[in-house]
Amino acid sequence: MQSSLKLVDCIIEVHDARIPLSGRNPLFQETLGLKPHVLVLNKMDLADLKEQQKIIQHLEGEGLKNVVFTNCLQGENVKQIIPTVTGLVGSSCRYHRGESLEYCAMVIGIPNVGKSSLINALRRQHLRKGKATRVGGEPGITRAVMSRIQVCERPLMFLLDTPGVLAPRIESVEMGLKLALCGTVLDHLVGEETLADYLLYTLNRHQLFGYVRHYGLGGACDDIASVLKQVAVRLGKTQKVKVLTGTGDVNVIQPNYPAAARDFLQTFRRGLLGPVMLDRDVLQRSPVAEP
Ligand SMILES: Nc1nc2c(ncn2[C@@H]2O[C@H](COP(=O)(O)OP(=O)(O)O)[C@@H](O)[C@H]2O)c(=O)[nH]1
Ligand SMILES: [Mg+2]
């Protein structure tokens, strides 16, 4: 990735719009410094963007001036990216070159934020061609084969068709949990039940009670065991087990907690529990510094 970055005129960094302030790998910023950079906050359909201006100000404070919110599944705002890139490359004096020269951009980001989906969406929008790269639900499925895809005629612009995969920067346990909720870290590394517990805590704190409706629960609850038990019963994920007691065998219904936790997480990730802003606490904690 380091060597291909040298050939690139612009970096398109993709990140998850639900965690606009968490988990980005700052490494390349030092490495690249002067290269034009666009931050694409993808999965906007899953994000609560009521405080979009605050997010943009916050990112500006970190020196990120070119931010585009997208939904790569619907192609929303994807059209804004290439004009932003050409504008940046055109106005950066280091890259003032003859008109005939072509541009090359590279997509980078942490796993599962939608890098491949963005490459596909750009290709669809600009050349009306179908799938360019594989898209996968598990982090790290993209293979390392380097070729270029044309994404624009005028100016002639190419995109490396293999995104650069960065490791997320995990500064705290909570940041790690947010990253895991967004699917950027393999679930089993955290444990699905731990993650489900953090999800329930977050939904309650943000007063997002869609889960109560979705699973037909009696009401909001902050006890994960109780919620998962009800979810398991709802989904029919239970099993009868014989328990030996002093007075003989008794059949008890045992909920399948891991299956319930998995369903809870999947339902959340599909957006069925409503949009979220997992970095709301960061936005509230640190008021935007005056320039
Ligand atoms: N809801 C939603 N899902 C998306 C969006 N973009 C990508 N995805 C999904 O996110 C998952 C990871 O996408 P992928 O492009 O493979 O991510 P990569 O690992 O960064 O290349 C896939 O299941 C995609 O369908 C989006 O804008 N909205
Ligand atoms: Mg990929």
Side-chain angles (χ1 to χ4, degrees):
M1 185 177 146
Q2 285 284 0
S3 61
S4 41
L5 277 174
K6 293 202 189 89
L7 313 168
V8 159
D9 304 300
C10 183
I11 301 295
I12 302 170
E13 185 192 4
V14 185
H15 197 61
D16 193 308
R18 292 170 291 181
I19 44 168
L21 310 172
S22 291
R24 289 180 47 241
N25 186 325
L27 200 110
F28 74 95
Q29 215 152 345
E30 295 141 31
T31 324
L32 296 166
L34 299 165
K35 285 218 173 161
H37 172 258
V38 178
L39 178 62
V40 174
L41 290 175
N42 187 42
K43 308 200 185 187
M44 66 183 287
D45 53 308
L46 302 177
D48 172 359
L49 296 176
K50 279 198 285 292
E51 298 197 287
Q52 187 164 344
Q53 278 316 311
K54 222 168 160 183
I55 295 167
I56 289 172
Q57 282 171 13
H58 210 290
L59 291 168
E60 259 173 17
E62 290 179 30
L64 295 153
K65 293 188 203 78
N66 311 290
V67 180
V68 183
F69 288 86
T70 59
N71 169 355
C72 283
L73 298 187
Q74 307 293 328
E76 215 176 329
N77 292 351
V78 171
K79 275 206 171 80
Q80 290 176 19
I81 295 172
I82 295 304
T84 306
V85 169
T86 51
L88 276 176
V89 175
S91 64
S92 106
C93 52
R94 265 185 77 188
Y95 299 95
H96 263 320
R97 305 180 303 190
E99 293 261 333
S100 61
L101 281 176
E102 57 196 42
Y103 298 110
C104 186
M106 184 183 195
V107 173
I108 65 168
I110 66 172
N112 234 18
V113 290
K115 298 178 296 299
S116 301
S117 303
L118 176 66
I119 292 171
N120 291 337
L122 283 169
R123 186 183 175 94
R124 270 200 304 274
Q125 292 223 341
H126 289 269
L127 292 174
R128 304 189 178 283
K129 278 186 190 152
K131 288 214 174 224
T133 48
R134 280 182 61 184
V135 175
E138 291 277 288
I141 199 168
T142 307
R143 305 285 162 77
V145 186
M146 209 44 92
S147 69
R148 301 194 309 173
I149 300 162
Q150 190 185 335
V151 287
C152 191
E153 298 275 3
R154 256 175 240 201
L156 190 55
M157 184 177 298
F158 294 93
L159 203 62
L160 295 183
D161 88 342
T162 306
V165 182
L166 304 171
R169 169 151 113 174
I170 307 178
E171 291 167 24
S172 64
V173 171
E174 179 141 30
M175 194 182 278
L177 289 167
K178 288 178 183 179
L179 284 157
L181 267 191
C182 293
T184 67
V185 178
L186 289 171
D187 287 347
H188 67 80
L189 296 181
V190 181
E192 285 173 320
E193 284 165 78
T194 305
L195 214 44
D197 196 3
Y198 180 70
L199 173 57
L200 182 63
Y201 161 77
T202 302
L203 293 174
N204 284 332
R205 205 180 35 161
H206 291 202
Q207 302 195 304
L208 297 169
F209 299 120
Y211 72 94
V212 176
R213 223 169 311 121
H214 182 86
Y215 289 112
L217 307 181
C221 171
D222 61 8
D223 174 19
I224 189 63
S226 155
V227 169
L228 291 183
K229 189 191 281 175
Q230 293 178 75
V231 169
V233 170
R234 281 264 142 192
L235 299 172
K237 304 264 185 201
T238 53
Q239 58 196 132
K240 273 206 191 93
V241 284
K242 258 202 187 100
V243 177
L244 294 171
T245 69
T247 52
D249 294 359
V250 205
N251 281 325
V252 296
I253 305 281
Q254 200 174 60
N256 185 340
Y257 288 105
R262 201 166 308 132
D263 190 87
F264 189 31
L265 288 169
Q266 278 170 358
T267 302
F268 164 75
R269 288 179 181 145
R270 279 158 63 201
L272 300 176
L273 304 180
V276 277
M277 177 41 59
L278 296 174
D279 277 339
R280 198 182 69 165
D281 53 344
V282 185
L283 281 171
Q284 286 171 345
R285 207 182 303 137
S286 48
V288 176
E290 293 296 324

